[in-house]
Amino acid sequence: MSTSGTTTTPTPDIPPHVRPPGRDFRSAFRDLSRGWGQRELWLQLGWQDIRQRYRRSVLGPMWITISMAVTAIALGILYSALFGLELAVLLPHVLVGMIVWTFISGCISEGSEVFVANSGLITHLPAPISIHVYRLVWRQTLFFAHNLIVYAVMLVFFPQPLRWTDLSAFPAFGLLVVNGMWVALLIGIISTRFRDLPPVTQSVVQLLFFLTPIVWMYDVLLDNPAVAERARLVELNPLFHFVELIRRPMLGQDQEWRTWFIVIGIAVVGWAMTLLVMRRYRSRVAYWV
Amino acid sequence: MVSIDVRDASVDFPIFDAKSRSLKHTVLGVVGGNVAANERKVVVIEALHNINLHVSEGDRLALVGHNGAGKSTLLRLLSGIYEPTSGQALVHGRVAPVFDLGVGMDPEISGLENILVRGLFLGMSRKQMEARVDDIAEFTELGNFLHMPLRTYSTGMRVRLALGVVTSIDPEILLLDEGIGAVDAAFLERAKGRLKDLVDRAGLLVFASHSNDLLRQLCTSALWMEHGTIRQQGPLEEVLDAYQGREHAASGG
């Protein structure tokens, strides 16, 4: 009876194919594809997150929808009065802007805590780190879907001139998801190492809300010669292009190819950066949490 | 072919909030790994140092050693949670780590939902878990409580649920860290039976425990960890004797 299966030498040569200590791009890609393979897990967890937040409340996840409606209507009324704009113009603008913004800001600010918040799971279960990010983006997508109900109701009261080409909102949302993934991964990894980043991220996101035309309208400022020059600076805000990309088709406005190119460009550059960081630091996340 | 192959692997934890000034010299205590500072003045804990280990299919390996000797860290290295800071660890096979019965359990969802989620965490598919849920429910003897949220459970009931799920899976590589307690004796006997079946199904077992009885029931060979290195490895009784001899000598004076 052999009980000496555990020996130090000699060790048979096994080709490294299952889990080599990898600081190469292959291991970064493997993390992403394995995470995708475990979607049964994160799809379930994402749902659980939402139901948990509203467990034992009578309306449950409908609160997502209701609070979005209340916020958007209140801001719409307030700012249409302040800027002297028509409610029928500003309210849809604010509402869709808020829906898109909620998704974007959720990916960024929750991304900064995505690994720290899951430290228990990370140090107890071997899993690709990407599953936590998939779960986050899926949860944000579910929030987005709940908020679309408000959008649908809005279309009843304020019909928009929608055309077939406005179906481009779907690939636009796809681009939003693709970008949300890299942002959450990148910020998540860096802020696991540098714990000062999450509060910084929260403040920056809050600031960006005001720098992005959500409660105010870019076109209106451009029409005003006194501030038009300065208003153009908003083009430097990448989030402006993300919001425009999906808000314009949702409101039946003309779309510009330029916006698509910018957002696709950001996705390419962002993923390249993220893969570089993942290659170097993906395996360190378990040590840092 | 299920196997684990570790070569010259070390695991160093950076501790960013420790003061490196006060640790100019390497500190070596009775328990724990080495504490040192690396070239960039970050304090590191050398949890594992130059581990060489080969575990192949059919092996039933016991891990013994003091608290902080590196048993749990070694299990996490073998599971792939920690990739070695230097050297390599090659793991061939599907790993089922059972380190903490509570991890991945959500107090707000029902016992039945927790069975599913916990199974998914262990690498099972939804279908596989649905096929097992009746068996698990019967084993736990929780009856209608399975529809209640987990937060209403007593500690022992939670352990029952977790053990039920954990012992229902078909792992290729089973990594067990102790922590089986807080259940009544009769249930523990049944759990032991299931645990033994589980170990028999597994291609390979590594089990860290302070209970020699459990180790004798489940393992055939052993590995003695000390200060993050392998002190001795070989047949179970030989290593246990050496380890306990050392313990007695230490406590005797």
Side-chain angles (χ1 to χ4, degrees), chain A residues 258-276:
Chain A
R258 204 169 57 98
T259 316
W260 283 86
F261 292 138
I262 291 172
V263 170
I264 291 172
I266 293 174
V268 171
V269 175
W271 268 108
M273 261 185 339
T274 305
L275 285 170
L276 272 173

Side-chain angles (χ1 to χ4, degrees), chain B residues 71-127:
Chain B
K71 300 188 296 292
S72 298
T73 311
L74 182 61
L75 283 175
R76 282 170 174 69
L77 177 77
L78 299 181
S79 73
I81 290 172
Y82 297 139
E83 291 180 17
T85 353
S86 65
Q88 52 180 203
L90 302 180
V91 181
H92 299 257
R94 199 158 52 84
V95 179
V98 183
F99 300 153
D100 181 338
L101 288 173
V103 74
M105 291 278 190
D106 187 332
E108 293 300 324
I109 62 177
S110 74
L112 284 173
E113 287 173 295
N114 266 304
I115 290 177
L116 170 69
V117 171
R118 186 64 212 249
L120 290 174
F121 269 127
L122 288 170
M124 308 293 281
S125 71
R126 181 180 278 268
K127 262 211 187 89

Side-chain angles (χ1 to χ4, degrees), chain A residues 18 40 44 51-52 123 287, chain B residues 76 83 91 106 113 126:
Chain A
V18 175
E40 274 190 343
Q44 169 80 23
R51 285 189 312 177
Q52 175 139 318
T123 52
Y287 286 82
Chain B
R76 282 170 174 69
E83 291 180 17
V91 181
D106 187 332
E113 287 173 295
R126 181 180 278 268

Side-chain angles (χ1 to χ4, degrees), chain B residues 85-220:
Chain B
T85 353
S86 65
Q88 52 180 203
L90 302 180
V91 181
H92 299 257
R94 199 158 52 84
V95 179
V98 183
F99 300 153
D100 181 338
L101 288 173
V103 74
M105 291 278 190
D106 187 332
E108 293 300 324
I109 62 177
S110 74
L112 284 173
E113 287 173 295
N114 266 304
I115 290 177
L116 170 69
V117 171
R118 186 64 212 249
L120 290 174
F121 269 127
L122 288 170
M124 308 293 281
S125 71
R126 181 180 278 268
K127 262 211 187 89
Q128 288 173 312
M129 283 322 288
E130 277 163 5
R132 282 166 169 78
V133 77
D134 287 337
D135 171 54
I136 298 170
E138 196 207 348
F139 167 73
T140 59
E141 299 175 323
L142 287 170
N144 280 334
F145 250 96
L146 284 172
H147 300 281
M148 298 286 117
L150 194 74
R151 70 186 140 80
T152 63
Y153 287 29
S154 72
T155 313
M157 287 161 81
R158 285 177 201 220
V159 175
R160 279 172 179 246
L161 188 73
L163 265 180
V165 181
V166 162
T167 54
S168 75
I169 56 170
D170 294 317
E172 287 179 334
I173 297 175
L174 180 63
L175 305 174
L176 284 177
D177 205 343
E178 57 183 352
I180 300 157
V183 273
D184 47 78
F187 182 78
L188 192 61
E189 274 312 304
R190 287 184 56 208
K192 269 186 187 165
R194 264 179 86 104
L195 204 60
K196 217 166 157 34
D197 289 345
L198 169 74
V199 169
D200 290 341
R201 282 203 304 278
L204 184 164
L205 167 78
V206 183
F207 182 23
S209 174
H210 291 289
S211 159
N212 292 343
D213 283 348
L214 266 179
L215 289 177
R216 284 199 179 93
Q217 281 180 34
L218 299 175
C219 301
T220 53

